[in-house]
């Protein structure tokens, strides 16, 4: 501090005087002695310099000071504080006493103590202080990070609070809007009832007025007669009195009053349950909870957050983690997944979230949008690491994976299959117009059962066409040539029927397609009457579509009608187009015209909607299936004329399995074909780019090991299936993890006897070949792993450099 005071005096010497250390006089013209650490006036400095002891002292006039001189003042020596040692500079450090000492102290007070040079002690202490400073700096940085985290938490709390308030506002506004809508509906009902009642009253009033006038006329005539008639004539009027004053005229007031009593009885009955629930439960609950789950540490992995095929089931695994990145689970954690396009609209269907109760959540969905979109994954209203994830949707192509059936009338054979339908177990029901029956197959083409035979009695069929399942597991079949619809139970036993030939509302003429709407009503394409009719689940006629006279409102040859979302969609084979109506039957638009170009149609048949929400149209006479957006925009197509796999001769109907595969009734080829995604020769690059995804098991989310294919055509690792069987509680049966269909354990009891998926094994080999430069390949003979291996196309196996020599020496392998 004294050094700093001296420096201050030196810097201000031009404006302030400096006190001389010898004579105490103040002067602006002074000098500074670096050894005395004192100021001297011009007079005293002469005496200072004459003293022999000060000969080596460094003296500098204040006006001549530079930056280096200032620095030297700050580094001036420190002197001993011991009595009589005041002029001795501190040069040593006593380790025993932990104090700096001078030369005299070394020989006197601290004689025999451990001592080191002061510079060495200072160096050690500097190192310690620097280390302490670094520690404190880290501590400060940590505290700043904590402050930043707390600030972030404050912002998150504010953001979460605002989000919660927005949710409350939104929910309340939705409730208010819904209540307003319901209020308007009730008011409209009241207005309608008032108008109807008033109409009835006005009608009754007019009738009473008419009767009153008649009565007045009768009374007037009677009074006139009384005046004109003689006593004898009046006495004889008893019999004609009823003619003059009829009873119905006299009693009309009583009858009108009786009728009006019934009309006046209408009122509003409050929904007290709703009101009581609102009072007791409120519009929702406000919950607080503590969780160690950290959203920005939580992760998602799988092909469902990267590239996606439209219309095929996609999945990814979400793992919730704590601040240290460790997997954790809290049952109160709120997980939310949204898949939206750039316009903010939902672009996925059937989004399913399965909580594994261990901090992992399996997410599955079907993408329906071909444009850019993103997957937003939030835990407790906060995005997880990497969310939102951009998706690059790829248009779904189709490849033939399975055919079953051939022409004939035996069990499992088909003759002109017409309608197809899929139930909740992925069983495929097929109507045959030439065998006059319905056959049911598993999704792998295995025959299960059949019902119906030619005839017109109950349970008999004549040219069955459309078919559908309802939620009560009933099979509903259009019996076309009998002009009726028959209902069967799950085993194919007859239940009931409705229809009958004619043009009345409850009758049918040459009906074709059939579907079940969201209310379980039955929609029938009444081709002969050129209308679409809707019947209740019990077969009572409800309403019909197609009698309008406006453009597009009528039909030429309605083939099939389905309800999807808020639309009724009809295929009109006579006009070669698709017509779209709203749920109330109002015509909206149509698309398609006769032709063979993309989007053109030639006798469109049955309709269905795939998992992407796209409309699939059987373009029967063009021998293909076309796929459209609901707006009518062409998306893609598959199939062409022929009898080979994937080709058609008159495809007439389609249905969709739970995993998104497409079932097609190939009419003239007398078979059913199933289609999955396509990797053609031109698309092999896509296959290689997505190889890891193609060989990943959807259960363990890792690369397949010993892939086994189930009857439902889904593939899983053998060890995954063994684990599922162990936890199922059964030893003879288990459920497919993908479609939940029951799978019979092989009679040996060993799941290893399930068929191997050789296609997946081939892909695993391709993956090993692609990664051979970075990962070793296991030899099929010696089990050693090596990067320098060969592949035998006949053995379908890898061989190391040593074993391949032996392989090639074997005579049987000469042509390999």
């Amino acid at each position: 501090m004294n050094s700093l005071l001296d420096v201050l005096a030196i810097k201000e010497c031009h404006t302030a005087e400096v006190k001389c250390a010898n004579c105490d006089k103040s002067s602006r013209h002074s000098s500074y002695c670096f050894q005395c650490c004192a100021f001297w006036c011009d007079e005293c400095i002469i005496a200072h310099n004459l003293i022999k002891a000060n000969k080596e002292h460094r003296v500098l006039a204040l006006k001549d000071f530079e930056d280096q001189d200032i620095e030297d003042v700050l580094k001036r020596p420190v002197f001993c504080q011991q009595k009589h040692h005041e002029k001795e500079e501190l040069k040593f450090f006593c380790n025993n006493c932990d104090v700096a000492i001078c030369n005299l102290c070394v020989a006197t007070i601290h004689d025999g103590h451990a001592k080191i040079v002061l510079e060495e002690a200072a160096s050690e202490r500097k190192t310690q202080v620097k280390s302490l400073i670094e520690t404190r700096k880290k501590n400060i940085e940590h505290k700043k990070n904590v402050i930043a985290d707390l600030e972030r938490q404050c912002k998150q709390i504010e953001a979460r609070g605002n989000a919660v308030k927005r949710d409350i506002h939104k929910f309340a506004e939705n409730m208010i809007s819904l209540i307003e809508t319901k209020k308007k509906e009730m008011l409209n009902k009241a207005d309608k009832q008032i108008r109807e009642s008033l109409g009835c009253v006005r009608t009754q009033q007019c009738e009473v007025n008419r009767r009153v006038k008649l009565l007045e006329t009768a009374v007037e005539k009677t009074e006139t007669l009384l005046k004109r008639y003689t006593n004898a004539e009046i006495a004889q009027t008893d019999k004609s009195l009823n003619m003059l004053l009829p009873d119905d005229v006299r009693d009309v007031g009583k009858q009108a009053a009786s009728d009006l009593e019934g009309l006046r009885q209408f009122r509003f009955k409050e929904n007290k349950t709703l009101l009581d629930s609102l009072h007791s439960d409120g519009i929702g609950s406000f919950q607080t909870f503590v969780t160690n789950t950290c959203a920005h540490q939580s992760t998602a992995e799988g092909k469902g957050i990267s590239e996606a095929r439209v219309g095929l089931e996609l999945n990814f695994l979400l793992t919730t983690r704590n601040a240290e990145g460790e997997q954790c689970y809290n049952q109160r954690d709120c997980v939310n997944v949204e898949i939206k396009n750039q316009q903010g609209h939902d672009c996925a269907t059937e989004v399913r979230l399965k909580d594994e109760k261990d901090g992992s959540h399996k997410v599955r969905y079907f993408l329906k949008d071909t444009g850019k979109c993103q997957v937003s994954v939030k835990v407790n209203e906060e995005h997880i690491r990497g969310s939102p994830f951009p998706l690059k949707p790829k248009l779904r192509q189709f490849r033939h994976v399975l055919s079953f059936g051939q022409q004939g009338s035996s069990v499992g054979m088909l003759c002109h299959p017409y309608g197809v339908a899929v139930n909740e177990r992925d069983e495929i029901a097929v109507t045959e117009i030439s065998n006059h029956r319905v056959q049911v197959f598993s999704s792998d083409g295995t025959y299960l059962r059949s019902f119906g035979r030619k005839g017109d009695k109950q349970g008999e069929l004549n040219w069955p066409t459309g078919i559908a399942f309802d939620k009560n597991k009933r099979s509903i079949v259009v019996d076309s040539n009998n002009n009726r619809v028959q209902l069967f139970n799950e085993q194919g036993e007859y239940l009931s029927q409705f229809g009958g030939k004619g043009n009345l509302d409850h009758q049918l003429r040459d009906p074709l397609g059939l579907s079940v709407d969201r209310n379980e009503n039955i929609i029938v394409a009444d081709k002969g009457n050129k209308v679409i009719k809707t019947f209740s689940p019990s077969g009572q006629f409800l309403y019909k579509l197609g009698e309008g006279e406006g453009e597009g409102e009528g039909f030429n040859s309605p083939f099939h009608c389905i309800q999807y979302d808020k639309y009724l969609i009809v295929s009109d084979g006579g006009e070669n187009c698709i017509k779209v109506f709203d749920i109330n039957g109002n015509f909206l638009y149509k698309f398609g015209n006769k032709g063979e170009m993309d989007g053109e149609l030639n006798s469109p048949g049955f309709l269905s909607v795939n998992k992407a929400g796209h409309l699939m149209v059987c373009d029967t006479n063009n021998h293909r299936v076309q796929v459209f957006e609901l707006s009518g925009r062409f998306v893609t197509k598959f199939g062409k004329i022929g009898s080979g796999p994937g080709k058609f001769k008159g495809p007439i109907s389609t249905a969709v399995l739970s995993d998104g595969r497409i079932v097609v009734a190939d009419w003239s080829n007398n078979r059913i074909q199933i289609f999955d995604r396509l990797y053609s020769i031109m698309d092999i690059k896509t296959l290689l780019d997505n190889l890891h995804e193609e060989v990943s098991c959807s259960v363990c989310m890792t690369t397949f090991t010993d892939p086994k294919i189930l009857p439902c055509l889904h593939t899983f690792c053998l060890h995954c299936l063994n684990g599922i069987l162990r936890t199922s509680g059964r030893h003879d049966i288990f459920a497919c993890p993908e479609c939940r269909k029951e799978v019979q354990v092989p009679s040996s009891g060993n799941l290893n006897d399930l068929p191997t998926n050789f296609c997946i094994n081939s892909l695993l080999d391709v993956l090993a070949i692609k990664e051979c430069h970075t990962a070793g390949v296991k030899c099929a003979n010696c089990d050693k792993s090596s990067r320098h291996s060969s592949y035998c196309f006949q053995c379908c196996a890898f061989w190391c450099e040593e074993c391949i020599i032996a392989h090639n020496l074997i005579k049987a392998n000469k042509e390999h």
Side-chain angles (χ1 to χ4, degrees), residues 522-558:
I522 302 166
I523 304 175
V524 182
D526 189 358
K527 178 185 175 184
N529 289 317
K530 298 185 178 183
V531 292
I532 299 295
K533 291 182 178 178
T534 300
F535 298 84
S536 72
S538 61
Q540 297 296 313
F541 172 80
L542 298 177
Y543 44 82
K544 57 187 173 182
L545 182 69
E547 289 189 324
E549 296 181 357
E551 182 181 356
E553 294 182 354
F555 303 117
N556 184 296
S557 180

Side-chain angles (χ1 to χ4, degrees), residues 356-370:
E356 298 292 338
K357 309 296 184 184
D358 61 356
S360 62
H361 301 75
K362 291 181 178 178
V363 183
R364 303 176 185 274
Y365 67 93
F366 288 89
L367 193 66
K368 64 179 181 180
D369 204 320
T370 56

Side-chain angles (χ1 to χ4, degrees), residues 77-80 87-94 99-106 115-121:
V78 182
F79 297 93
C80 187
K87 293 187 178 181
E88 293 294 325
E89 187 178 343
L90 298 176
K91 294 186 176 181
F92 298 95
F93 186 82
C94 178
V99 65
I101 58 177
C102 65
N103 284 325
L104 292 177
C105 291
V106 170
K115 300 173 282 292
I116 58 175
V117 178
L118 187 60
E119 285 78 6
E120 184 179 343

Side-chain angles (χ1 to χ4, degrees), residues 328-352:
C328 64
Y329 174 69
N330 188 315
Q331 63 178 358
R332 286 183 173 270
D333 283 339
C334 177
V335 177
N336 184 43
V337 178
E338 291 182 338
I339 301 98
K340 294 184 179 293
N341 59 20
Q342 291 179 314
Q343 289 73 40
H345 301 143
D346 289 330
C347 57
T349 61
E350 299 184 31
V351 180
R352 290 170 289 170

